[in-house]
Amino acid sequence: MRFASSAYRGFACAVLSLGLLGAPLGAAHASTISAMSVSGNAITMAFDSAIDGASGLILDTPRRLAVDIQGLTPGAMTASGGPILQTRVGLVRPGVGRVVFDLAGRSVVRQASLSDDHRTLTLQLSDASPREFANAARVGRVSYASFSPSPGNGGVTVPLDAPTPYRLPIPAVEGRANKPLVVIDAGHGGHDPGSLSVDGRYREKDATLQIARAIRDELLKSGRVRVAMTRSDDRFLILQERREIARRLHADLFISVHCDSAPGSNASGATVYTLSEVSSDQVAARLAAKENRSDIINGVDLGDTSNEVGNILIDLTQRETMNASSRFADVLQRELTGEGIQFKTTYHRFAGLAVLKAPDVPAVLLESGYITDPGDLRKLFSRSYQHDLAVGVTEAVEAHFARRLGRTDVALND
């Protein structure tokens, strides 16, 4: 189950799944995308000047193709169709732009070509099996300076960089060492803006970071828990990294903050999500079927257990985690309502959200309001609303641990 169980994230096969195109040109400049199209399974990007190079990677949950282009300045050019649902263009860091293609299904890049003048990049996609897509996502970034058709399979031969060890970003933990640990996850970030307001001016990633910081500050002010944030700035983390951070830190509670979106409707209000029963069964099944059973589940190493015993331990841990998550969701709704936060009629929902799938960390995803609703939008970026959210979450966290530990004065106040 652990995200970082492989020794090297950069390992790749010699046939291109996704690659870096083009030789460096040396001179620093800024290009923009002058045209972008999707024809069949081919993506074509034209640039107004030569680019310095490009790289890409497959991302899962949700399925995306991210292409980083050296020397690119983000613009408004987008395209969709065929395997591409929609396109977003942003800036990864100065001098490197990122084009994110949301995929309609499991697709990988089979061929790639960069024109001689480095002003046209073409990516040929095709459908992939679940295993092949998962392998492409695990490969991560593949880079090369030249390529040639690979005889016999119609693919592309890629000279790869040496593999580099993958290091999961582990954030700092604040607070007294003997207190329960709460990990706050600000949704989206970096090149992934999340949902946008109707006019496109406001981004979910900014609202979630502001709310997460407010929650962190209020929790630390209470002095009753330790706190860590999966991201405290505008950086991108994939969903598996977020939940794995909580597991690595042995968190006692995981809260992921998001904003809902429903363009063209009058939907408003907050919602709390916990893991669904079906998704829980799927997680348990995958854990039970792992060849390498050395994952630590709730402090128990399953490496030497039989399948029967391992299955029972996984199931018991997952069920207790789900029950704890659901109980906290109810407490969270009660305390936030007391702070004046409005919820949808069905405030507690169940879904197979990737960030909730840690089997041994109680977790909820808080949709703090609808960024597409004018009233909720004003609240989401309001300091007073963020403060009310933070106070309500803090009160819910205190009640949650008081109930679980069963000794309020000793456990939380000593």
Side-chain angles (χ1 to χ4, degrees):
M1 176 88 180
R2 292 196 181 279
F3 174 77
S5 59
S6 62
Y8 295 99
R9 194 182 185 191
F11 175 78
C13 61
V15 176
L16 175 65
S17 290
L18 191 61
L20 183 145
L21 309 170
L25 300 181
H29 61 276
S31 301
T32 59
I33 300 175
S34 57
M36 185 189 304
S37 65
V38 179
S39 177
N41 287 331
I43 302 171
T44 301
M45 288 178 279
F47 310 97
D48 62 0
S49 61
I51 62 172
D52 294 338
S55 67
L57 62 158
I58 290 288
L59 302 170
D60 203 355
T61 57
R63 300 183 185 116
R64 288 155 293 161
L65 163 63
V67 178
D68 291 352
I69 300 171
Q70 299 172 27
L72 179 69
T73 298
M77 193 66 65
T78 63
S80 62
I84 306 303
L85 292 175
Q86 63 178 354
T87 310
R88 303 186 299 277
V89 183
L91 192 67
V92 179
R93 59 182 180 275
V96 180
R98 171 166 291 183
V99 185
V100 179
F101 300 96
D102 291 337
L103 300 174
R106 296 183 182 90
S107 299
V108 296
V109 175
R110 299 295 184 187
Q111 293 181 320
S113 62
L114 185 66
S115 62
D116 292 340
D117 61 2
H118 289 243
R119 294 180 61 169
T120 304
L121 172 64
T122 303
L123 305 175
Q124 185 69 44
L125 277 62
S126 69
D127 294 339
S129 67
R131 175 176 292 183
E132 186 179 15
F133 186 84
N135 288 339
R138 278 195 295 269
V139 161
R141 189 182 306 279
V142 180
S143 64
Y144 63 101
S146 62
F147 61 90
S148 59
S150 177
N153 60 16
V156 174
T157 301
V158 182
L160 301 177
D161 292 341
T164 55
Y166 172 71
R167 294 180 176 85
L168 183 71
I170 300 298
V173 176
E174 301 178 80
R176 291 171 55 185
N178 64 333
K179 302 299 181 181
L181 174 60
V182 180
V183 172
I184 308 297
D185 172 49
H188 306 280
H191 72 268
D192 178 11
S195 299
L196 301 177
S197 61
V198 175
D199 62 7
R201 294 172 55 200
Y202 297 93
R203 304 173 297 188
E204 180 182 0
K205 70 172 184 176
D206 299 323
T208 60
L209 183 56
Q210 292 175 23
I211 293 169
R213 286 171 173 169
I215 293 172
R216 175 200 60 192
D217 294 344
E218 197 68 27
L219 286 171
L220 289 174
K221 190 165 66 175
S222 76
R224 294 181 173 180
V225 295
R226 293 177 296 144
V227 183
M229 295 180 63
T230 57
R231 70 176 184 97
S232 55
D233 54 18
D234 187 19
R235 70 178 63 191
F236 174 75
L237 295 170
I238 66 172
L239 300 175
Q240 292 91 333
E241 285 178 315
R242 297 169 186 270
R243 69 174 186 245
E244 188 62 21
I245 286 171
R247 295 194 68 203
R248 290 287 185 90
L249 292 175
H250 304 290
D252 298 287
L253 186 62
F254 179 84
I255 303 173
S256 187
V257 180
H258 287 256
C259 303
D260 228 327
S261 173
S265 76
N266 59 356
S268 64
T271 314
V272 183
Y273 284 87
T274 58
L275 187 65
S276 69
E277 189 84 11
V278 172
S279 296
S280 168
D281 291 341
Q282 292 171 348
V283 172
R286 284 195 297 271
L287 280 171
K290 283 173 65 73
E291 293 181 9
N292 180 3
R293 298 169 57 84
S294 61
D295 281 355
I296 303 298
I297 304 296
N298 210 21
V300 179
D301 190 333
L302 303 182
D304 296 326
T305 62
S306 66
N307 286 340
E308 292 78 8
V309 173
N311 292 350
I312 292 172
L313 291 175
I314 291 169
D315 184 69
L316 289 174
T317 300
Q318 186 78 68
R319 299 299 162 182
E320 173 54 28
T321 299
M322 287 180 61
N323 290 337
S325 300
S326 292
R327 289 193 295 268
F328 178 68
D330 292 336
V331 174
L332 184 60
Q333 187 270 344
R334 183 191 71 198
E335 298 299 335
L336 285 173
T337 300
E339 294 299 321
I341 305 301
Q342 294 182 346
F343 280 80
K344 297 187 69 174
T345 303
T346 308
Y347 73 87
H348 184 186
R349 296 186 175 183
F350 301 87
L353 300 169
V355 293
L356 302 179
K357 291 185 179 180
D360 47 1
V361 181
V364 300
L365 185 146
L366 173 62
E367 295 279 11
S368 50
Y370 279 78
I371 198 168
T372 49
D373 176 74
D376 277 6
L377 175 61
R378 286 191 295 270
K379 293 178 182 177
L380 290 169
F381 287 90
S382 160
R383 288 186 179 272
S384 62
Y385 185 77
Q386 293 170 4
H387 178 261
D388 290 343
L389 280 171
V391 170
V393 170
T394 298
E395 292 173 348
V397 167
E398 292 176 352
H400 170 77
F401 286 122
R403 178 186 296 176
R404 283 177 65 82
L405 297 173
R407 44 178 191 158
T408 307
D409 291 337
V410 176
L412 295 180
N413 293 334
D414 62 351

